[in-house]
Every structure is written in C-alpha cells, then in structure tokens.
Amino acid sequence: MSPLTLLYQDEHLVAVHKPSGLLVHRSALARGETEFLLQRLRDQIGRRVYPVHRLDRPTSGVMLFALTPEVAASLCQAFSEQQIDKRYLAVVRGVAPERERLDYALREEDGTRPKVDMPAMPAATEIIRLDSVELPIQIDRYPKARYSLIEARPLTGRRHQIRRHLSRRGYPIIGDAKHGKSVHNRFFAHQLNAPRLLLAATQLAFEHPVLGQRIALECALDAPMTKLFHHFGWAGHLPLNRRRRVPVTEALPLT
C-alpha cells in the first residue's frame, strides 16, 4: 500500500490527499470495510489525528486533520461558521453556465430519518465554467455529447451539497450514481477509464488556529482525472500540490 500524500504538516495539524473511494473513518456506512483514511494517516505519521470536516467517500482531494483536541475544536468551529474557503473541480454533463450562484435549500441526509422529515436548510454554491468539450458521439438522445469543467465553491456545508446543487440545476457530475445519469457514467468508466465520481477538493484556505497565518493548500488530481484532463485538452487547469502561508489580512485569490 503506497503512503498517503501529505500536503501540509506542523505540530498542530496535517493535511492529506484523500483518495477517491476511501472512507474517512468507521461509520454505519462502513459495512465490511477494513481500510479508513483516519487509521492510515495515524499509522503513517505515528500520531493521533482528529477529523475537522468531511469528504464523501467517492470524492478525492485535500482533507484537514487536527493533531490535538483543542485545535480540532477551533477548526470545527471555523468550518461550521463558513470561515474556510473550499474550492472543488467537477466534470459535469452539458455546457454549464459561465458563472452562477446556486441557491437551493437542501434537506439534510443523515440516514437517521426519512429525508422528507428533515428540515430544508439554506444552501448556496458558486460555480464557474472553466472549460468545455464536445464529443462527436451519441451517448444519450443528442447526436453529440457535451461536458464541462466546473469550479465549485460551497458557501454552506450541507451533505452532498455540490452534487445535489449541480444535479438540480441540470448539470449532474459524471460518476454520481445517485444524482447523475448512468449512461454517461458508464461511458466515462468504460471508454475513458474514469470509473469514479469526477469531483475533487482541490483548494482549501483557512486561518491557522495557532500560528495566526492564513494557510492556502492546493491538491493535485489523481491519475484517472489527470489523464482525462489531458484527453479533453484541459491540462492547463490541472492543480498542483502546493501550499502558501500569508498574513490573515492579505487577500488570497485562489483562481
């Protein structure tokens, strides 16, 4: 088993590239699973780690962990108060809007009660179309297939927010078995060797709870998504593994 890619580490926290398909920790969803990100990271760095946010199992990208309960509490509060800047890249069906704010309330999906019984909570996501491609093949009812590369910035933290917002707007993420369309998912899996949800957490910026600096992290894509970007001519949008420390008062343009 290859080691996890560490994006940042100090005595207070650590950030890692979570692979697609890996659960963060044991839960009711972990039926028969024996491998989890939390345990792998703990064993790799030899320290106890505390998750401070979540990424869906099929989503890859930058994931932040605290190394003490005190730092975990501070970071959890920052996430809950939307003080963390998160950016994702997603490949979606269709030619998405150039720029739009998706503002659709979402019912929580915690698995304990039917979704219809859950309250609808405010949810907002900003999206930008970075690129698009048209393939001269018929996959669905149209003679040509069109796809877009989207940058998504969730302004709230609802479960599956980006996936649900894009699907509701009519641009489901490729590889999303629940909110997408199977014929396109199969095409990408079998013809383009991309058998995964094409959603990656690529940027994370936050105020360090101890050092008093703003940390900006960028996470490269995994091999299937990287190959797909090259195939579609989107290599110029590929993120890199890199980090920056800047004063909290300095504006940090990530795009």
Side-chain angles (χ1 to χ4, degrees):
M1 184 185 304
S2 59
L4 297 165
T5 299
L6 300 185
L7 303 169
Y8 177 89
Q9 184 178 7
D10 60 26
E11 63 268 34
H12 309 290
L13 53 85
V14 59
V16 63
H17 181 173
K18 185 191 90 66
S20 173
L22 184 62
L23 285 167
V24 174
H25 50 68
R26 297 181 187 275
S27 70
L29 300 175
R31 301 165 184 156
E33 296 292 331
T34 58
E35 187 178 339
F36 304 92
L37 178 65
L38 190 149
Q39 281 76 27
R40 281 185 59 181
L41 179 58
R42 177 198 61 197
D43 294 344
Q44 181 170 324
I45 68 174
R47 293 191 61 176
R48 186 171 182 179
V49 296
Y50 303 83
V52 296
H53 65 121
R54 65 184 180 226
L55 283 180
D56 297 340
R57 178 177 184 170
T59 304
S60 64
V62 58
M63 181 103 193
L64 189 64
F65 290 85
L67 297 178
T68 67
E70 295 76 19
V71 171
S74 179
L75 287 172
C76 284
Q77 182 177 359
F79 273 98
S80 67
E81 295 177 355
Q82 286 85 54
Q83 297 174 358
I84 311 294
D85 189 14
K86 298 173 286 183
R87 310 290 176 100
Y88 293 73
L89 290 180
V91 181
V92 305
R93 179 165 57 94
V95 179
E98 182 177 345
R99 182 186 292 265
E100 193 167 313
R101 178 186 171 106
L102 307 182
D103 201 344
Y104 308 129
L106 298 173
R107 296 184 185 276
E108 285 293 350
E109 298 178 330
D110 65 357
T112 62
R113 289 184 289 170
K115 192 166 69 172
V116 69
D117 294 337
M118 302 292 284
M121 306 292 289
T125 306
E126 292 180 348
I127 63 170
I128 300 173
R129 188 184 75 238
L130 301 178
D131 220 324
S132 60
V133 67
E134 182 177 270
L135 306 181
I137 53 177
Q138 182 169 356
I139 297 174
D140 205 343
R141 63 182 183 274
Y142 301 107
K144 297 180 180 179
R146 297 176 179 178
Y147 303 97
S148 297
L149 173 61
I150 292 293
E151 179 188 86
R153 180 181 177 229
L155 305 180
T156 51
R158 310 304 173 204
R159 188 179 295 271
H160 299 165
Q161 177 175 313
I162 297 174
R163 295 163 62 179
R164 295 164 70 188
H165 269 177
L166 284 168
S167 178
R168 179 166 175 177
R169 182 61 178 82
Y171 303 97
I173 300 175
I174 300 301
D176 192 335
K178 184 174 182 180
H179 306 287
K181 197 164 186 180
S182 59
V183 64
H184 294 275
N185 296 346
R186 287 195 300 268
F187 171 73
F188 273 74
H190 301 317
Q191 302 300 320
L192 298 177
N193 196 30
R196 53 154 295 183
L197 176 72
L198 296 182
L199 176 65
T202 56
Q203 296 177 350
L204 189 70
F206 59 96
E207 182 180 344
H208 196 293
V210 178
L211 302 182
Q213 291 179 312
R214 190 161 177 82
I215 307 294
L217 304 176
E218 187 174 52
C219 182
L221 301 180
D222 62 11
M225 287 192 72
T226 297
K227 185 176 180 180
L228 183 72
F229 275 42
H230 282 286
H231 180 72
F232 282 168
W234 296 347
H237 299 293
L238 283 169
L240 304 173
N241 288 334
R242 55 188 176 186
R243 64 192 182 192
R244 287 183 58 199
R245 289 188 184 187
V246 296
V248 175
T249 55
E250 180 180 329
L252 185 66
L254 287 179
T255 58

